[in-house]
Amino acid sequence: MFNSVFPISLIRKAFPALNHDWEGNPVIFFDGPGGSQVPDTVLSAMHAYLSQYNSNLGGAFYSSKVTTDLMALARSHISNFIHAEQPDNIVFGANMTSLTFQMSRTIARDWQPDDEVIVTKLDHYANVSSWQQAAQDKGVLIHQINVRSPECDIDYEQLANKINKKTKLIAVTMASNTTGTIVDIKRVVALAKSVGAMVYVDAVHYAPHYLIDVQDLGCDFLVCSAYKFFGPHIGLMYIAPKWLNTLTPYKVEPATNVGPGRFETGTQSFEALAGLIACIEHLGALGSEHQPLRQRLEQSFQQYQDYEHQLSEYFLAQLQRFPQVKLYGHSSSQVARTPTFALKVEGKDSLGIAQKLATCNVCIWSGHFYAKGLIEQLQCEHLGGLLRVGLMHYNTPEEIDAFFDYFRQCLE
């Protein structure tokens, strides 16, 4: 079933966390949707910056010049990672949530009381609460789109019915951080553009698994956090060219009013930017070394995607041995999805199961995962919410076997 060409052993060697035991036993990291492990090249890059070049932007001295060049290179790498038009379309911040709250206030400056905004029940609430609160501040009507069962996709028909000429913005996830469901963003963008509305995309859960192309999507904004795709704790945002210099951000008066810097409040985490550059290079490492970065990323991600598809197929096959477990989301590996699985065991407390698995060094999450609307619509708030098993391309079929062995013991 598994492609023996995929260099899983080489990949795992790059991650220090995957090569140590805890209290004498191996650890299974199936907690990727909450934060991935980090390769050693990222750690080395962050250490090297802090130990040799720690500075701020704009100085005439060497360490400041290195830092200025570092930030430009980070913009260039992320521009390649998401296929932005120019590096200047990339903005950095603390994380996706902070960037979204900040940008929601900027975008909402010109909203009027008869305007409307659309969010979804599939989203992490970083992409819901930020817009709900901005709408409340401006007296704007907000609609929340339901989720369709059992695949846990957004209700596109309801979305189409809610969109009208008053719609100013649609905030939508690219992939559910709970069920792994992938949303048809191009379909959402087409609906939005028919009435001149903006589209704000949360790609946090999508980014570790599939390569992003913002030009192909046609979205106005896209955000994600690097710690979800093997990097440090730093957020990044794409702003489409038409908005880069036309929006009016909240900022301190002396700060630049040109380019992406006008959206970046305070001093950035330059050590995280150093790690981010190394992270993107790591992600492109399976491509042909003489190819440009974007092509290396495309070649690498195709291999990650193929391998993760095999992991999903294997996990779903093993899950069929547990009829008492309900899966939320696509149950077929033939449908495009991330290898993230939302489970509910009949009559069992999800938190209790996660705690038992933790004693076996199996790392998984339980609860609502900040997808409050989804959990409420699925009526899964009781007994600890859902169990979430999240695989990455550094996981193995042997780990899946071990997980299900421990899982069976927890249910006995």
Side-chain angles (χ1 to χ4, degrees), residues 28 30 315 318-326 342-346 348-350 352-354 356-357 360 362 364 387-389 399-412:
I28 298 175
F30 280 4
F315 183 92
Q318 300 305 307
L319 185 62
Q320 293 179 9
R321 295 157 40 203
F322 298 85
Q324 71 273 48
V325 179
K326 181 176 178 60
L343 311 176
K344 188 70 174 180
V345 182
E346 184 179 355
K348 296 284 187 178
D349 180 70
S350 296
I353 295 173
K356 289 181 180 179
L357 288 169
C360 304
V362 177
I364 68 167
L387 285 169
R388 182 179 65 183
V389 181
E399 289 180 318
I400 294 175
D401 288 338
F403 165 78
F404 277 111
D405 286 342
Y406 292 131
F407 187 58
R408 185 187 66 254
Q409 295 171 28
C410 291
L411 302 187
E412 291 176 349

Side-chain angles (χ1 to χ4, degrees), residues 133-266:
Q133 292 168 25
Q136 183 179 22
D137 290 345
K138 289 289 186 174
V140 168
L141 179 63
I142 192 154
H143 302 284
Q144 190 167 24
I145 303 303
N146 289 328
V147 175
R148 300 185 302 184
S149 294
E151 64 272 24
C152 292
D153 202 349
I154 63 172
D155 187 333
Y156 295 100
E157 291 184 4
Q158 184 189 20
L159 175 62
N161 290 333
K162 290 295 183 184
I163 291 175
N164 60 69
K165 292 183 179 180
K166 296 180 180 180
T167 305
K168 303 298 289 184
L169 179 138
I170 302 171
V172 62
T173 187
M174 200 165 183
S176 168
N177 74 315
T178 303
T179 66
T181 305
I182 294 176
V183 174
D184 187 348
I185 295 297
K186 294 176 73 171
R187 182 176 178 180
V188 176
V189 169
L191 289 169
K193 297 310 178 188
S194 70
V195 296
M198 296 175 172
V199 178
Y200 191 98
V201 177
D202 170 8
V204 171
H205 185 67
Y206 188 92
H209 306 289
Y210 295 86
L211 194 58
I212 298 166
D213 187 337
V214 291
Q215 294 186 65
D216 182 57
L217 295 175
C219 57
D220 298 279
F221 308 90
L222 182 140
V223 280
C224 50
S225 292
Y227 78 99
K228 299 295 180 76
F229 58 82
F230 322 105
H233 285 270
I234 189 169
L236 57 102
M237 173 186 293
Y238 162 78
I239 301 179
K242 67 182 295 185
W243 305 117
L244 186 64
N245 292 304
T246 55
L247 293 173
T248 306
Y250 288 85
K251 69 178 195 66
V252 295
E253 184 177 351
T256 182
N257 200 32
V258 178
R262 50 201 301 269
F263 298 96
E264 292 171 339
T265 56

Side-chain angles (χ1 to χ4, degrees), residues 80 211 284 287-288 291-300:
N80 276 280
L211 194 58
S288 301
Q291 292 293 321
L293 178 57
R294 179 66 186 185
Q295 280 66 48
R296 284 187 276 131
L297 288 166
E298 290 172 349
Q299 293 167 359
S300 295

